[in-house]
Amino acid sequence: MLRRKRIKAFDGSKPQDKESPREKTVKTPLGSKRKNKQPDEEQLEKLVLGGECDVLQTLQEVSKKTESESQSKKKKQAISKPKVPVWQDDDDIRGSIQITKERRYDLIRRGEERKIKTEQYTSRLKTEFEKASSAPNWAKLPSEKTHSSDDDSDVEDLLQKTGNYLVTSSALPQGLIDLKQCADANKEQPSESKLKCVEFHPTAQVILTAGMNYRLNLFQVDGKHNPKIQSVYLDGFPIHTAHFSTDGREVIMGSKYRNFQYYDMMAGKIVNVPRIKGLEEKMMKKFKVSPDGRFIVFIGKAGGLHLLSAKSKEWIHTLHMNGEVKDIAFSKDGQRMYSHGAEGDVYVWDLDRRDCIHRFYDDGCTKGMSIALSPNGQYLACGSYSGVVNVYDSQSILNSRSPNPVKAIMNLTTPCTHAVFNCTSEILAISSTYAEKAVKLVHVPSMTVFSNFPERKRDNFRIPMCMDFSLNSGYFSIGTHRGCALLYRVKHYGNY
């Protein structure tokens, strides 16, 4: 018997099938929350399929969460493991050190010790080093650093920051020196005779000129007009030497007589210092003032060096060396004095003890003429009658009676009568009063002479009698036998 099939009329609608409870839980709307979902599964679903939250916002939240977790881990590690210097090695503190009676172990040994652990040895070495020189800031841990403005700040910045440190060097280049010729320093009142002295004031922008015309002139230095400040006439007193006092309040002047005079700029008067009893000197014409302002040292006859108080102008003591004294120089602190003599010997004097502590022979010198010590105390220049200028290392000369010079400068062919360093110890000026245009500027770091000075076209240069650098080496002046104080602007340095 054939079964009849139930035929349903097609009305365009989809048959409504009955769904099981399982099918209803699976077919939930997209993005809705299910009770049986895990948090990671839900977060992954949002990232892949989207949902109520934006995808970018979710990514940011995840990155922040990850970053905070990593920072917390680093903090925990920093707390658990404190930083130690990278040069510390565990292997360096193992073992032991055999201590002998050698001199190098004197500061390490305690009593009659013969053998100590390496760790103790390292600790003692560190202690002795820190006594001599403290550890720099860059070598300390952040907790050990003292935030003070010392020389290590630049090193610390260099190690912690990336920047352009390849800037132009501030050192003076060799070869050619950049000079500009200015109006003469004494343009408003040139000297009628040869100048014996030109010197810049130790603090102010002022220069003095003096010579055989009995006049002391003071000018303000601006490089253009150089106006005259004051002119003082000393009747019957030709000035052979004139120097500012260390404080700049006085100008001390020497001549061919037994007395000397000084000009008190604060009071505006000339003070005469009569002949000093006990000194058998006929002339008090050459002297120098110590940088510390304690002494005025007059060069006497027969190797005498007379120490006078710069304050009271009273005689204190007389030092003696063999032969005739030609020139003297002082260290920057005024503790030592160097004297160069006609016999070619250089004497080193301790002015506190007032005694000679060393003596050496200037290499190849037949007759000493001039001497100068660099402001940084590194070099000593000795000029001789032959024109050769020997430059010595100031530390090596104390260890030998016949030291070898670092450099022998042979650019002068006549006696070197003057030698002077600039304030940075980068330029050494040497000159001779025995020839025309006999001035040379030496680049001290390379020990070479600047080839573009003096200029050949300068007609009134002629014979140099004296010279000096300004306070910051911005100006250089040369006094000539015609009474002109030539003025040059050294462009590498500041305005004065």
Side-chain angles (χ1 to χ4, degrees):
M1 184 175 177
L2 294 175
R3 294 182 180 178
R4 291 183 180 178
K5 292 183 180 179
R6 184 179 295 177
I7 298 174
K8 293 183 179 181
F10 180 77
D11 58 356
S13 61
K14 205 170 184 180
Q16 298 293 328
D17 295 334
K18 291 183 180 181
E19 298 176 348
S20 63
R22 179 181 289 182
E23 291 174 342
K24 284 183 180 180
T25 57
V26 174
K27 295 182 179 180
T28 54
L30 185 63
S32 62
K33 296 181 180 179
R34 293 187 305 178
K35 293 182 180 180
N36 58 350
K37 281 187 179 179
Q38 296 296 328
D40 294 341
E41 183 182 352
E42 182 183 345
Q43 190 177 21
L44 181 61
E45 184 180 286
K46 288 181 180 180
L47 289 173
V48 177
L49 303 176
E52 296 176 357
C53 299
D54 187 51
V55 176
L56 294 177
Q57 185 178 356
T58 308
L59 285 173
Q60 291 176 357
E61 292 177 357
V62 173
S63 62
K64 288 181 181 179
K65 185 178 179 181
T66 308
E67 186 178 354
S68 63
E69 289 177 355
S70 62
Q71 288 179 356
S72 62
K73 287 182 181 179
K74 287 180 180 179
K75 288 180 180 179
K76 290 179 181 178
Q77 290 176 357
I79 295 171
S80 60
K81 294 182 179 180
K83 287 185 178 180
V84 294
V86 294
W87 51 82
Q88 288 187 2
D89 193 352
D90 295 338
D91 293 336
D92 295 338
I93 61 175
R94 297 173 184 171
S96 59
I97 298 293
Q98 190 76 25
I99 296 181
T100 63
K101 291 187 177 181
E102 293 181 18
R103 191 174 181 180
R104 59 175 177 162
Y105 293 114
D106 289 346
L107 298 175
I108 307 299
R109 190 187 302 107
R110 301 286 185 271
E112 297 296 327
E113 288 180 336
R114 295 184 179 181
K115 193 174 184 180
I116 61 173
K117 294 181 180 180
T118 308
E119 185 177 2
Q120 294 177 341
Y121 180 75
T122 306
S123 178
R124 292 181 187 180
L125 282 179
K126 183 180 179 182
T127 304
E128 293 299 327
F129 174 79
E130 289 177 351
K131 286 181 182 178
S133 59
S134 58
N137 241 16
W138 60 265
K140 297 178 181 178
L141 295 173
S143 59
E144 300 174 346
K145 288 183 180 179
T146 55
H147 300 285
S148 59
S149 57
D150 55 5
D151 296 336
D152 296 327
S153 59
D154 294 337
V155 179
E156 186 177 350
D157 290 342
L158 179 63
L159 295 174
Q160 293 184 357
K161 299 178 182 178
T162 57
N164 185 15
Y165 283 89
L166 299 176
V167 295
T168 305
S169 175
S170 60
L172 179 70
Q174 62 177 349
L176 301 176
I177 186 169
D178 193 1
L179 291 177
K180 177 187 176 183
Q181 185 178 335
C182 304
D184 292 348
N186 62 344
K187 182 180 179 181
E188 288 196 0
Q189 190 171 350
S191 177
E192 298 86 8
S193 61
K194 58 185 177 182
L195 286 180
K196 298 290 287 185
C197 320
V198 293
E199 184 172 287
F200 289 92
H201 194 274
T203 56
Q205 202 161 334
V206 175
I207 189 173
L208 70 80
T209 63
M212 307 304 292
N213 63 341
Y214 314 106
R215 285 190 179 275
L216 168 68
N217 296 316
L218 299 174
F219 300 90
Q220 182 180 354
V221 180
D222 61 9
K224 296 180 180 180
H225 306 290
N226 304 321
K228 184 179 72 172
I229 299 175
Q230 198 167 14
S231 181
V232 181
Y233 181 77
L234 286 78
D235 188 15
F237 195 86
I239 303 173
H240 285 258
T241 307
H243 293 294
F244 283 108
S245 60
T246 305
D247 58 9
R249 296 184 177 184
E250 298 174 350
V251 179
I252 306 163
M253 296 161 285
S255 187
K256 59 183 180 180
Y257 304 112
R258 295 181 177 182
N259 65 311
F260 68 96
Q261 301 186 24
Y262 68 92
Y263 175 59
D264 189 339
M265 292 190 290
M266 298 294 105
K269 63 178 182 179
I270 296 289
V271 180
N272 179 58
V273 180
R275 176 186 174 183
I276 299 174
K277 294 181 180 180
L279 293 184
E280 298 179 359
E281 295 292 343
K282 295 183 179 179
M283 293 183 292
M284 304 284 282
K285 66 178 183 179
K286 191 170 183 180
F287 66 92
K288 283 190 178 180
V289 182
S290 64
D292 58 354
R294 290 190 298 166
F295 304 111
I296 303 172
V297 182
F298 281 88
I299 297 176
K301 64 178 182 179
L305 293 166
H306 308 298
L307 274 66
L308 276 68
S309 170
K311 187 175 182 180
S312 64
K313 310 298 186 293
E314 295 179 349
W315 174 75
I316 299 175
H317 189 72
T318 297
L319 304 172
H320 291 279
M321 62 177 282
N322 295 335
E324 182 184 2
V325 183
K326 286 297 184 178
D327 198 9
I328 59 176
F330 295 92
S331 61
K332 191 175 182 179
D333 57 3
Q335 301 297 317
R336 289 183 179 179
M337 180 177 69
Y338 301 80
S339 60
H340 203 189
E343 294 185 356
D345 288 331
V346 178
Y347 286 69
V348 184
W349 306 90
D350 189 326
L351 293 182
D352 289 336
R353 294 164 49 187
R354 294 167 194 168
D355 191 17
C356 177
I357 59 174
H358 188 64
R359 171 184 171 187
F360 70 93
Y361 177 70
D362 185 15
D363 186 54
C365 178
T366 56
K367 183 179 180 181
M369 295 295 292
S370 59
I371 191 170
L373 182 69
S374 61
N376 62 2
Q378 185 177 2
Y379 295 110
L380 181 71
C382 302
S384 65
Y385 189 81
S386 62
V388 179
V389 179
N390 290 326
V391 181
Y392 296 91
D393 183 276
S394 59
Q395 297 299 322
S396 65
I397 61 175
L398 300 175
N399 302 323
S400 174
R401 289 293 302 272
S402 300
N404 294 321
V406 177
K407 179 69 176 180
I409 302 168
M410 302 183 181
N411 295 79
L412 294 178
T413 57
T414 52
C416 177
T417 52
H418 295 87
V420 59
F421 284 91
N422 77 322
C423 68
T424 62
S425 305
E426 293 179 304
I427 304 176
L428 169 63
I430 54 177
S431 66
S432 173
T433 59
Y434 288 74
E436 295 185 357
K437 298 185 179 182
V439 179
K440 297 295 180 183
L441 299 180
V442 182
H443 182 256
V444 177
S446 64
M447 293 296 172
T448 58
V449 174
F450 292 105
S451 59
N452 61 328
F453 187 85
E455 299 176 353
R456 296 182 180 180
K457 62 181 180 180
R458 184 75 174 180
D459 295 331
N460 62 342
F461 194 111
R462 300 299 295 276
I463 299 175
M465 302 299 298
C466 48
M467 57 186 179
D468 192 28
F469 286 97
S470 64
L471 176 63
N472 297 318
S473 304
Y475 288 97
F476 175 59
S477 182
I478 302 173
T480 68
H481 78 298
R482 290 187 172 181
C484 299
L486 307 180
L487 188 66
Y488 297 90
R489 174 76 175 90
V490 187
K491 294 184 179 181
H492 179 78
Y493 299 103
N495 292 331
Y496 184 71

